[in-house]
């Protein structure tokens, strides 16, 4: 049976969102090295490695927020991120051309980024509404970093990875 937190206020909802993001980011810390290892495009591999370090910073930022709000973040499991990570793991093990797998990894990573952007946007708006301006600012920093990562993935897909994957399909 799933143990649920009772959400009686926007403050409770903010705490729930933060716990979800904390779980999601920690799952990503474990998944990103596997994605980097599976990537064959050097820029994609480097991007995953760079985002791993950034993600560790997101975890630290969430811990800083938890201290400010006097809440504990561990103990919750983000099922959405669990599913997104599992889909990415399945893709890694598909029998695929390297460049096609790289294109798929970008898609999987962008689904993760979009999920995180929705979560951080929600949490930032709640924090702002509740008058936690310092928390809202920290969440906004992370939201902006997630948006930038999404843009980098799009640029890499459009400039190189999808071009290579298209050649693989034409050669088959």
């Amino acid at each position: 049976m799933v143990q649920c937190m009772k959400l009686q206020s926007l403050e409770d909802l903010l705490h729930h969102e933060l716990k979800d993001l904390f779980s999601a980011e920690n799952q990503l810390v474990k998944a990103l090295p596997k994605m980097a290892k599976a990537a064959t495009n050097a820029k994609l591999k480097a991007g995953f490695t760079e985002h791993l370090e950034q993600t560790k910073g997101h975890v630290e930022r969430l811990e800083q927020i938890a201290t400010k709000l006097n809440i504990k973040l561990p103990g919750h499991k983000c099922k959405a991120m669990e599913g997104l990570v599992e889909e990415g793991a399945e893709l890694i093990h598909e029998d695929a051309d390297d460049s096609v797998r790289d294109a798929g990894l970008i898609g999987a990573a962008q689904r993760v980024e979009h999920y995180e952007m929705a979560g951080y946007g929600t949490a930032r708006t709640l924090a702002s509404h509740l008058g936690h301006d310092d928390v809202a600012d920290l969440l906004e920093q992370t939201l902006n970093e997630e948006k930038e990562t999404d843009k980098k993935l799009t640029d890499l897909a459009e400039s190189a990875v999808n071009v290579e994957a298209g050649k693989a399909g034409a050669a088959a």
Side-chain angles (χ1 to χ4, degrees):
M1 181 166 177
V2 176
Q3 183 181 358
C4 294
M5 174 180 180
K6 193 165 188 177
L7 303 175
Q8 295 184 315
S9 67
L10 283 181
E11 191 75 37
D12 291 344
L13 183 58
L14 172 60
H15 297 179
H16 182 273
E17 292 290 330
L18 293 170
K19 289 176 182 199
D20 199 64
L21 288 165
F22 185 74
S23 170
E25 294 288 18
N26 277 294
Q27 289 180 57
L28 210 47
V29 165
K30 294 176 185 163
L32 280 166
K34 296 172 189 168
M35 294 175 79
K37 185 177 178 184
T40 56
N41 177 284
K43 287 183 180 177
L44 181 58
K45 192 178 281 287
F48 285 145
T49 302
E50 177 185 322
H51 195 57
L52 171 62
E53 293 311 308
Q54 192 177 61
T55 301
K56 290 176 182 176
H58 297 167
V59 170
E60 290 172 9
R61 201 174 283 151
L62 286 165
E63 289 169 341
Q64 182 182 356
I65 289 168
T67 299
K68 287 179 180 290
L69 297 177
N70 196 28
I71 61 172
K72 294 192 182 334
L73 296 178
H76 175 82
K77 180 78 163 197
C78 177
K79 292 184 179 99
M81 185 60 75
E82 186 176 37
L84 291 169
V85 166
E86 188 177 313
E87 283 185 7
E90 287 172 5
L91 181 66
I92 288 171
H93 299 293
E94 289 285 341
D95 180 19
D97 179 87
D98 287 348
S99 59
V100 173
R101 180 177 294 104
D102 283 350
L105 286 170
I106 288 175
Q110 286 191 291
R111 282 189 287 282
V112 165
E113 293 308 311
H114 289 223
Y115 178 76
E116 289 180 307
M117 289 185 307
Y120 279 104
T122 298
R124 181 226 33 224
T125 300
L126 290 170
S128 181
H129 181 77
L130 291 164
H132 299 303
D133 294 337
D134 51 345
V135 169
D137 289 345
L138 290 169
L139 293 166
E140 179 75 22
Q141 285 177 23
T142 303
L143 177 60
N144 289 335
E145 289 169 0
E146 301 293 10
K147 287 178 181 178
E148 184 59 32
T149 297
D150 182 55
K151 184 179 180 335
K152 287 178 183 178
L153 287 164
T154 296
D155 292 346
L156 182 57
E158 291 175 349
S159 68
V161 173
N162 290 354
V163 175
E164 283 301 312
K167 290 177 187 173

